[in-house]
Coordinates of all heavy atoms in Angstrom, one line a residue:
L211 N 91.6 75.5 95.6 CA 92.4 74.9 96.7 C 93.6 75.8 96.9 O 94.3 76.1 96.0 CB 92.8 73.5 96.3 CG 93.7 72.8 97.3 CD1 93.0 72.5 98.6 CD2 94.2 71.5 96.7
S212 N 93.8 76.2 98.2 CA 95.0 77.0 98.5 C 95.6 76.5 99.8 O 94.9 75.9 100.6 CB 94.6 78.5 98.8 OG 94.0 79.0 97.6
I213 N 96.9 76.6 99.9 CA 97.6 76.2 101.1 C 98.3 77.5 101.7 O 98.9 78.2 101.0 CB 98.6 75.1 100.8 CG1 98.0 73.9 100.3 CG2 99.4 74.8 102.1 CD1 98.9 72.8 99.8
Y214 N 98.1 77.7 103.0 CA 98.6 78.9 103.7 C 99.4 78.5 104.9 O 99.2 77.4 105.5 CB 97.5 79.8 104.2 CG 96.7 80.4 103.1 CD1 95.5 79.8 102.6 CD2 97.0 81.6 102.5 CE1 94.8 80.3 101.5 CE2 96.3 82.2 101.5 CZ 95.2 81.5 101.0 OH 94.5 82.1 100.0
D215 N 100.4 79.3 105.3 CA 101.1 79.1 106.5 C 100.4 79.8 107.7 O 99.4 80.4 107.4 CB 102.6 79.5 106.4 CG 102.8 81.0 106.3 OD1 101.8 81.8 106.5 OD2 103.9 81.4 105.9
S216 N 100.8 79.6 108.9 CA 100.1 80.1 110.0 C 100.2 81.6 110.1 O 99.5 82.2 110.9 CB 100.7 79.5 111.3 OG 102.0 79.8 111.5
A217 N 101.0 82.3 109.3 CA 101.0 83.7 109.2 C 100.1 84.3 108.1 O 100.0 85.5 107.9 CB 102.4 84.2 109.0
G218 N 99.4 83.4 107.4 CA 98.4 83.8 106.4 C 99.0 84.0 105.0 O 98.4 84.4 104.1
N219 N 100.3 83.6 104.8 CA 101.0 83.7 103.5 C 100.6 82.5 102.6 O 100.7 81.4 103.1 CB 102.5 83.8 103.7 CG 102.9 85.0 104.5 OD1 102.5 86.1 104.3 ND2 103.7 84.7 105.6
P220 N 100.3 82.8 101.4 CA 99.9 81.7 100.5 C 101.2 80.9 100.0 O 102.2 81.5 99.6 CB 99.3 82.4 99.3 CG 99.8 83.8 99.3 CD 100.1 84.1 100.7
L221 N 101.1 79.6 100.1 CA 102.2 78.8 99.6 C 101.8 78.2 98.3 O 102.6 78.1 97.4 CB 102.5 77.6 100.6 CG 102.8 78.1 102.0 CD1 102.8 77.0 103.0 CD2 104.1 78.9 102.1
V222 N 100.6 77.8 98.1 CA 100.0 77.4 96.9 C 98.6 78.0 96.8 O 97.9 78.0 97.8 CB 99.9 75.8 96.8 CG1 99.2 75.4 95.6 CG2 101.2 75.2 97.0
H223 N 98.2 78.6 95.7 CA 96.9 79.3 95.7 C 96.2 79.0 94.4 O 96.7 78.6 93.4 CB 97.1 80.8 95.8 CG 97.9 81.4 94.8 ND1 97.4 81.8 93.6 CD2 99.2 81.7 94.7 CE1 98.3 82.3 92.8 NE2 99.5 82.3 93.5
D224 N 94.8 79.1 94.6 CA 93.9 78.9 93.4 C 93.9 80.2 92.6 O 94.6 81.2 93.0 CB 92.5 78.5 93.9 CG 91.9 79.6 94.8 OD1 92.3 80.7 94.8 OD2 90.9 79.3 95.4
P225 N 93.2 80.2 91.5 CA 93.2 81.4 90.7 C 92.4 82.6 91.2 O 92.4 83.7 90.5 CB 92.6 80.9 89.3 CG 91.8 79.7 89.7 CD 92.4 79.1 90.9
N226 N 91.7 82.5 92.3 CA 91.0 83.7 92.9 C 92.0 84.8 93.1 O 93.0 84.6 93.7 CB 90.3 83.4 94.2 CG 89.1 82.5 93.9 OD1 88.4 82.7 93.0 ND2 88.9 81.5 94.8
P227 N 91.7 86.1 92.7 CA 92.6 87.2 92.9 C 93.0 87.4 94.4 O 94.1 87.7 94.7 CB 91.9 88.4 92.4 CG 90.8 87.9 91.6 CD 90.5 86.5 92.0
W228 N 92.0 87.2 95.3 CA 92.3 87.4 96.7 C 93.2 86.4 97.3 O 93.8 86.6 98.4 CB 91.0 87.5 97.5 CG 90.1 86.3 97.4 CD1 89.1 86.2 96.5 CD2 90.2 85.2 98.2 NE1 88.5 84.9 96.7 CE2 89.2 84.3 97.8 CE3 91.0 84.8 99.3 CZ2 88.9 83.1 98.3 CZ3 90.7 83.5 99.9 CH2 89.7 82.7 99.4
S229 N 93.3 85.2 96.7 CA 94.1 84.1 97.3 C 95.6 84.3 97.2 O 96.4 83.6 97.8 CB 93.7 82.8 96.7 OG 94.1 82.7 95.3
T230 N 96.0 85.3 96.4 CA 97.5 85.5 96.3 C 98.0 86.5 97.4 O 99.2 86.7 97.5 CB 97.8 86.1 94.9 OG1 97.1 87.4 94.8 CG2 97.4 85.2 93.8
E231 N 97.1 87.1 98.1 CA 97.5 88.0 99.2 C 97.6 87.3 100.5 O 97.2 86.2 100.7 CB 96.4 89.1 99.3 CG 96.1 89.9 98.1 CD 94.9 90.8 98.2 OE1 94.7 91.3 99.4 OE2 94.3 91.1 97.2
N232 N 98.1 88.0 101.5 CA 98.1 87.5 102.9 C 96.7 87.3 103.3 O 95.9 88.3 103.3 CB 98.9 88.4 103.8 CG 99.1 87.8 105.2 OD1 98.1 87.6 105.9 ND2 100.3 87.4 105.5
L233 N 96.3 86.2 103.7 CA 94.9 85.9 104.1 C 94.4 86.6 105.3 O 93.3 86.9 105.4 CB 94.8 84.3 104.3 CG 93.4 83.8 104.3 CD1 92.7 84.0 103.0 CD2 93.4 82.3 104.6
L234 N 95.3 86.9 106.2 CA 94.9 87.6 107.5 C 94.4 89.0 107.2 O 93.6 89.5 108.0 CB 96.1 87.6 108.5 CG 96.6 86.3 108.9 CD1 97.7 86.4 109.9 CD2 95.4 85.4 109.5
G235 N 94.7 89.6 106.1 CA 94.3 91.0 105.8 C 93.0 91.0 105.0 O 92.5 92.1 104.7
I236 N 92.4 89.9 104.6 CA 91.3 89.9 103.7 C 90.0 89.7 104.6 O 89.9 88.8 105.4 CB 91.4 88.7 102.7 CG1 92.6 89.0 101.8 CG2 90.1 88.7 101.8 CD1 92.9 87.9 100.8
T237 N 89.0 90.5 104.3 CA 87.7 90.4 105.0 C 86.6 90.1 104.0 O 86.8 90.4 102.8 CB 87.4 91.7 105.7 OG1 87.3 92.8 104.8 CG2 88.4 92.0 106.8
D238 N 85.5 89.5 104.5 CA 84.4 89.3 103.7 C 83.6 90.6 103.6 O 84.0 91.7 104.1 CB 83.6 88.1 104.1 CG 82.8 88.4 105.4 OD1 82.8 89.5 105.9 OD2 82.2 87.4 105.9
I239 N 82.5 90.6 102.9 CA 81.7 91.8 102.7 C 81.1 92.4 103.9 O 80.7 93.5 104.0 CB 80.6 91.6 101.6 CG1 79.6 90.5 102.1 CG2 81.2 91.2 100.3 CD1 78.4 90.4 101.3
Y240 N 81.1 91.6 105.0 CA 80.6 92.1 106.3 C 81.7 92.5 107.3 O 81.4 92.8 108.4 CB 79.7 91.0 106.9 CG 78.5 90.6 106.1 CD1 78.5 89.4 105.4 CD2 77.5 91.4 105.9 CE1 77.5 89.0 104.6 CE2 76.4 91.1 105.0 CZ 76.4 89.9 104.4 OH 75.4 89.5 103.6
G241 N 82.9 92.4 106.8 CA 84.0 92.9 107.6 C 84.7 91.8 108.5 O 85.6 92.0 109.2
A242 N 84.2 90.6 108.4 CA 84.8 89.4 109.1 C 86.1 89.0 108.5 O 86.2 89.0 107.3 CB 83.8 88.3 109.2
S243 N 87.1 88.7 109.3 CA 88.4 88.3 108.8 C 88.4 86.9 108.3 O 88.3 86.0 109.1 CB 89.5 88.5 109.9 OG 90.7 88.0 109.4
I244 N 88.5 86.7 107.0 CA 88.5 85.3 106.5 C 89.7 84.5 107.0 O 89.6 83.4 107.4 CB 88.5 85.4 104.9 CG1 87.2 86.0 104.4 CG2 88.8 84.0 104.3 CD1 87.2 86.3 103.0
G245 N 90.9 85.2 107.0 CA 92.1 84.5 107.5 C 92.1 84.1 108.9 O 92.5 83.0 109.3
R246 N 91.7 85.1 109.8 CA 91.7 84.7 111.2 C 90.7 83.6 111.5 O 90.9 82.7 112.3 CB 91.3 86.0 112.0 CG 92.5 86.9 112.1 CD 92.2 88.0 113.1 NE 93.3 89.0 113.0 CZ 93.2 90.2 112.3 NH1 92.1 90.5 111.7 NH2 94.2 91.0 112.3
D247 N 89.5 83.6 110.8 CA 88.5 82.6 111.0 C 89.1 81.2 110.5 O 88.9 80.2 111.2 CB 87.2 82.9 110.3 CG 86.5 84.1 110.9 OD1 86.8 84.5 112.0 OD2 85.6 84.6 110.3
A248 N 89.7 81.3 109.3 CA 90.3 80.0 108.8 C 91.4 79.5 109.7 O 91.5 78.3 109.9 CB 90.8 80.2 107.4
L249 N 92.3 80.3 110.2 CA 93.4 79.9 111.0 C 92.9 79.4 112.3 O 93.3 78.3 112.8 CB 94.3 81.1 111.3 CG 95.6 80.8 112.1 CD1 96.4 79.7 111.4 CD2 96.4 82.1 112.2
T250 N 91.9 80.0 112.9 CA 91.2 79.5 114.2 C 90.6 78.1 113.9 O 90.8 77.2 114.7 CB 90.2 80.5 114.7 OG1 90.8 81.7 115.0 CG2 89.5 80.0 115.9
M251 N 89.9 78.0 112.8 CA 89.3 76.7 112.5 C 90.3 75.6 112.3 O 90.2 74.5 112.7 CB 88.4 76.9 111.2 CG 87.5 75.7 111.0 SD 86.4 76.0 109.7 CE 85.2 77.1 110.5
A252 N 91.4 76.0 111.6 CA 92.5 75.0 111.4 C 93.1 74.5 112.7 O 93.4 73.4 112.9 CB 93.6 75.6 110.5
R253 N 93.3 75.5 113.6 CA 93.9 75.1 115.0 C 92.9 74.3 115.8 O 93.3 73.6 116.7 CB 94.2 76.4 115.7 CG 95.4 77.1 115.2 CD 95.8 78.3 115.9 NE 97.0 78.9 115.4 CZ 97.3 80.2 115.4 NH1 96.4 81.1 116.0 NH2 98.4 80.7 114.9
E254 N 91.6 74.4 115.5 CA 90.6 73.6 116.2 C 90.3 72.3 115.5 O 89.4 71.6 115.8 CB 89.3 74.4 116.4 CG 89.6 75.6 117.3 CD 88.4 76.5 117.4 OE1 87.4 76.3 116.7 OE2 88.4 77.4 118.2
G255 N 91.1 71.9 114.4 CA 90.9 70.7 113.7 C 90.3 70.7 112.4 O 90.1 69.7 111.7
G256 N 89.8 71.9 111.9 CA 89.3 72.1 110.6 C 87.8 72.1 110.6 O 87.1 71.9 111.6
G257 N 87.2 72.3 109.4 CA 85.7 72.2 109.3 C 85.2 73.1 108.1 O 86.0 73.6 107.3
F258 N 83.9 73.3 108.1 CA 83.3 74.0 107.0 C 82.9 75.4 107.5 O 82.5 75.6 108.7 CB 82.0 73.3 106.5 CG 82.3 72.0 105.8 CD1 82.4 70.8 106.4 CD2 82.5 72.1 104.4 CE1 82.6 69.7 105.7 CE2 82.8 70.9 103.7 CZ 82.9 69.7 104.4
N259 N 82.8 76.4 106.6 CA 82.3 77.7 106.9 C 81.8 78.3 105.6 O 82.1 77.8 104.5 CB 83.3 78.6 107.6 CG 84.5 78.9 106.7 OD1 84.7 78.3 105.6 ND2 85.4 79.8 107.2
Y260 N 81.1 79.4 105.7 CA 80.6 80.2 104.5 C 81.4 81.5 104.4 O 81.7 82.1 105.4 CB 79.1 80.5 104.6 CG 78.3 79.3 104.3 CD1 77.6 78.6 105.3 CD2 78.1 78.8 103.0 CE1 76.9 77.5 105.0 CE2 77.3 77.7 102.7 CZ 76.7 77.1 103.7 OH 75.9 76.0 103.5
I261 N 81.8 81.9 103.2 CA 82.5 83.1 103.0 C 81.7 83.9 101.9 O 81.4 83.4 100.9 CB 83.9 82.8 102.4 CG1 84.7 81.9 103.4 CG2 84.7 84.1 102.2 CD1 86.0 81.4 102.8
N262 N 81.5 85.2 102.2 CA 80.9 86.1 101.3 C 81.9 87.0 100.7 O 82.5 87.8 101.4 CB 79.8 87.0 102.0 CG 78.5 86.3 102.1 OD1 77.9 86.0 101.1 ND2 78.1 86.0 103.4
L263 N 82.2 86.9 99.5 CA 83.2 87.7 98.8 C 82.6 88.6 97.7 O 81.7 88.2 97.0 CB 84.3 86.8 98.2 CG 85.1 86.0 99.1 CD1 86.0 85.0 98.3 CD2 86.0 86.9 99.9
P264 N 83.2 89.8 97.6 CA 82.7 90.6 96.5 C 83.2 90.1 95.1 O 84.3 89.6 95.0 CB 83.3 92.0 96.8 CG 84.4 91.8 97.7 CD 84.2 90.5 98.4
S265 N 82.3 90.1 94.2 CA 82.7 89.7 92.8 C 83.2 90.9 92.0 O 82.4 91.8 91.9 CB 81.5 89.0 92.1 OG 81.8 88.7 90.8
E266 N 84.4 90.8 91.6 CA 85.0 91.9 90.8 C 84.3 92.1 89.5 O 84.3 93.2 88.9 CB 86.5 91.8 90.7 CG 87.2 91.8 92.0 CD 88.7 91.6 91.9 OE1 89.2 91.4 90.8 OE2 89.3 91.5 92.9
S267 N 83.8 91.1 88.9 CA 83.3 91.1 87.5 C 81.9 91.9 87.4 O 81.7 92.5 86.4 CB 83.2 89.7 86.9 OG 82.2 89.0 87.7
D268 N 81.0 91.7 88.4 CA 79.7 92.3 88.2 C 79.2 93.1 89.4 O 78.0 93.3 89.5 CB 78.7 91.2 87.8 CG 78.6 90.1 88.8 OD1 79.2 90.2 89.9 OD2 77.9 89.2 88.6
A269 N 80.1 93.5 90.3 CA 79.7 94.3 91.5 C 78.6 93.7 92.4 O 77.8 94.4 92.9 CB 79.3 95.7 91.0
T270 N 78.6 92.4 92.5 CA 77.7 91.7 93.4 C 78.6 90.9 94.4 O 79.8 91.1 94.5 CB 76.8 90.7 92.6 OG1 77.7 89.7 92.0 CG2 76.0 91.4 91.6
T271 N 77.9 90.1 95.2 CA 78.7 89.3 96.1 C 78.6 87.8 95.7 O 77.6 87.4 95.0 CB 78.2 89.5 97.6 OG1 76.8 89.1 97.6 CG2 78.3 90.9 98.0
R272 N 79.5 87.0 96.2 CA 79.5 85.6 95.8 C 79.7 84.8 97.1 O 80.6 85.0 97.8 CB 80.7 85.3 94.9 CG 80.6 83.9 94.4 CD 81.8 83.6 93.5 NE 83.0 83.6 94.3 CZ 84.2 83.5 93.7 NH1 84.4 83.5 92.5 NH2 85.3 83.5 94.5
L273 N 78.7 84.0 97.4 CA 78.7 83.1 98.6 C 79.5 81.9 98.2 O 79.2 81.3 97.2 CB 77.3 82.8 99.0 CG 77.2 81.9 100.2 CD1 77.7 82.6 101.5 CD2 75.7 81.4 100.4
S274 N 80.4 81.5 99.0 CA 81.2 80.3 98.8 C 81.2 79.5 100.0 O 81.2 80.0 101.2 CB 82.7 80.7 98.4 OG 82.8 81.4 97.2
L275 N 81.2 78.2 99.8 CA 81.4 77.2 100.9 C 82.9 77.0 101.1 O 83.6 76.7 100.1 CB 80.7 75.9 100.6 CG 80.9 74.8 101.6 CD1 80.3 75.2 103.0 CD2 80.3 73.5 101.1
G276 N 83.4 77.2 102.3 CA 84.8 77.0 102.6 C 85.0 75.7 103.4 O 84.2 75.4 104.3
Y277 N 86.1 75.1 103.2 CA 86.6 73.9 104.0 C 88.0 74.2 104.4 O 88.9 74.4 103.5 CB 86.4 72.6 103.2 CG 86.9 71.4 104.1 CD1 86.1 71.0 105.2 CD2 88.1 70.8 103.8 CE1 86.6 70.0 106.0 CE2 88.5 69.8 104.6 CZ 87.8 69.3 105.7 OH 88.2 68.3 106.5
V278 N 88.3 74.1 105.7 CA 89.6 74.3 106.2 C 90.1 73.0 106.8 O 89.4 72.3 107.6 CB 89.6 75.4 107.3 CG1 91.0 75.6 107.9 CG2 89.1 76.7 106.8
Q279 N 91.3 72.6 106.5 CA 91.9 71.4 107.0 C 93.4 71.7 107.4 O 94.2 72.2 106.6 CB 91.9 70.3 105.9 CG 92.6 69.0 106.3 CD 91.9 68.3 107.5 OE1 90.7 68.2 107.5 NE2 92.6 67.9 108.5
P280 N 93.7 71.4 108.7 CA 95.1 71.6 109.0 C 96.0 70.6 108.4 O 95.6 69.4 108.3 CB 95.1 71.5 110.6 CG 93.9 70.7 110.9 CD 92.9 71.0 109.8
I281 N 97.2 71.0 108.0 CA 98.2 70.0 107.6 C 99.1 69.6 108.7 O 99.4 68.5 109.0 CB 99.0 70.6 106.4 CG1 98.1 70.9 105.2 CG2 100.2 69.6 106.0 CD1 98.8 71.6 104.1
D282 N 99.6 70.6 109.4 CA 100.3 70.5 110.7 C 100.1 71.8 111.5 O 99.2 72.5 111.2 CB 101.8 70.2 110.4 CG 102.5 71.2 109.5 OD1 102.0 72.4 109.5 OD2 103.5 70.9 108.9
D283 N 101.0 72.0 112.4 CA 100.9 73.3 113.2 C 101.2 74.5 112.5 O 100.9 75.6 112.9 CB 101.8 73.2 114.5 CG 101.3 72.2 115.5 OD1 100.1 71.8 115.4 OD2 102.1 71.7 116.3
E284 N 101.8 74.4 111.3 CA 102.2 75.6 110.5 C 101.5 75.8 109.3 O 101.4 77.0 108.8 CB 103.7 75.5 110.2 CG 104.6 75.6 111.4 CD 104.5 76.9 112.1 OE1 104.5 78.0 111.4 OE2 104.5 76.9 113.3
W285 N 100.9 74.8 108.7 CA 100.2 75.0 107.4 C 98.7 74.5 107.4 O 98.4 73.6 108.2 CB 100.9 74.2 106.3 CG 102.3 74.5 106.0 CD1 103.1 75.5 106.5 CD2 103.1 73.9 105.0 NE1 104.3 75.5 105.9 CE2 104.4 74.5 105.0 CE3 102.9 72.8 104.2 CZ2 105.4 74.1 104.2 CZ3 104.0 72.4 103.3 CH2 105.2 73.1 103.4
F286 N 97.9 75.1 106.6 CA 96.5 74.6 106.5 C 96.0 74.8 105.0 O 96.6 75.6 104.3 CB 95.6 75.3 107.5 CG 95.4 76.8 107.2 CD1 94.3 77.2 106.5 CD2 96.2 77.7 107.8 CE1 94.1 78.6 106.3 CE2 96.0 79.1 107.6 CZ 94.9 79.5 106.9
I287 N 95.1 74.0 104.7 CA 94.4 74.0 103.4 C 93.1 74.7 103.5 O 92.4 74.5 104.4 CB 94.2 72.6 102.9 CG1 95.5 71.8 102.7 CG2 93.4 72.6 101.6 CD1 95.3 70.4 102.4
L288 N 92.8 75.6 102.5 CA 91.6 76.3 102.4 C 91.0 76.0 101.0 O 91.6 76.3 100.0 CB 91.7 77.8 102.6 CG 90.4 78.6 102.4 CD1 89.3 78.2 103.3 CD2 90.7 80.1 102.5
L289 N 89.9 75.3 101.0 CA 89.2 75.0 99.7 C 87.9 75.8 99.7 O 87.1 75.8 100.7 CB 88.9 73.5 99.6 CG 88.0 73.1 98.5 CD1 88.8 73.3 97.1 CD2 87.6 71.7 98.6
T290 N 87.7 76.6 98.6 CA 86.4 77.3 98.5 C 85.7 76.9 97.3 O 86.3 76.7 96.2 CB 86.7 78.9 98.4 OG1 87.5 79.2 97.4 CG2 87.2 79.4 99.7
V291 N 84.4 76.7 97.4 CA 83.5 76.3 96.3 C 82.4 77.3 96.2 O 81.6 77.5 97.1 CB 82.9 74.9 96.6 CG1 82.0 74.5 95.4 CG2 84.0 73.9 96.8
P292 N 82.4 78.0 95.1 CA 81.3 79.0 94.9 C 79.9 78.3 94.9 O 79.8 77.3 94.3 CB 81.6 79.6 93.5 CG 83.0 79.3 93.2 CD 83.3 78.0 93.9
M293 N 79.0 79.0 95.6 CA 77.6 78.4 95.6 C 76.9 79.1 94.5 O 76.9 80.3 94.3 CB 77.0 78.8 96.9 CG 77.7 78.3 98.2 SD 78.0 76.5 98.3 CE 76.3 76.0 98.5
K294 N 76.3 78.3 93.6 CA 75.5 78.8 92.5 C 74.1 79.2 93.0 O 73.4 78.3 93.5 CB 75.4 77.8 91.4 CG 74.7 78.4 90.2 CD 74.8 77.4 89.0 CE 73.9 77.8 87.9 NZ 74.4 78.9 87.1
M295 N 73.8 80.4 92.9 CA 72.4 80.9 93.3 C 71.5 80.9 92.0 O 71.9 81.4 91.0 CB 72.5 82.3 93.9 CG 73.4 82.4 95.0 SD 72.7 81.4 96.4 CE 73.6 82.0 97.7
T296 N 70.4 80.2 92.2 CA 69.5 80.2 91.0 C 68.4 81.2 91.2 O 68.0 81.5 92.3 CB 68.8 78.8 90.9 OG1 68.2 78.5 92.2 CG2 69.9 77.7 90.7
E297 N 68.0 81.7 90.1 CA 66.9 82.7 90.2 C 65.6 82.1 89.7 O 65.6 81.3 88.8 CB 67.2 83.9 89.2 CG 68.4 84.7 89.7 CD 68.6 85.9 88.8 OE1 67.7 86.4 88.1 OE2 69.8 86.3 88.7
T298 N 64.5 82.4 90.4 CA 63.2 81.9 89.9 C 62.4 83.1 89.3 O 62.5 84.2 89.8 CB 62.5 81.3 91.1 OG1 62.3 82.2 92.1 CG2 63.2 80.1 91.6
V299 N 61.7 82.8 88.3 CA 61.0 83.8 87.6 C 59.5 83.6 87.8 O 59.0 82.5 87.8 CB 61.3 83.9 86.1 CG1 60.6 85.0 85.5 CG2 62.8 84.1 86.0

């Protein structure tokens, strides 16, 4: 759970390394701006989205479900939940 202002600056952040940076400069593995998408979604009333982030620990990607909720015109909440991918053998 992280809280950002409308400029993408973190006010309260979760332990993800990327959540301590300005959110507007962070892109997913496909080059989409996570911050701009989250800010747009917050201005439109909030909602769910998917975020693909590189995993620093094992050089793979991690799909996360994101939820954006506006607090007011200046702040919004971003909650990300990693999706556990199961392998079948």
Side-chain angles (χ1 to χ4, degrees):
L211 175 69
S212 301
I213 299 175
Y214 295 90
D215 66 13
S216 61
N219 299 309
L221 304 171
V222 176
H223 60 84
D224 64 15
N226 287 321
W228 59 268
S229 66
T230 62
E231 301 175 29
N232 184 295
L233 193 61
L234 297 180
I236 299 175
T237 59
D238 71 7
I239 60 170
Y240 301 108
S243 173
I244 294 169
R246 287 191 187 98
D247 291 348
L249 185 56
T250 299
M251 190 172 287
R253 288 182 177 150
E254 294 174 352
F258 290 92
N259 64 352
Y260 286 102
I261 302 169
N262 279 294
L263 293 172
S265 173
E266 295 178 3
S267 61
D268 59 3
T270 62
T271 61
R272 185 179 72 187
L273 180 66
S274 295
L275 175 64
Y277 178 72
V278 178
Q279 177 65 45
I281 298 173
D282 57 21
D283 290 339
E284 292 297 316
W285 297 0
F286 66 93
I287 295 171
L288 173 61
L289 172 67
T290 57
V291 179
M293 306 298 294
K294 182 171 173 80
M295 301 296 194
T296 58
E297 293 182 28
T298 57
V299 181

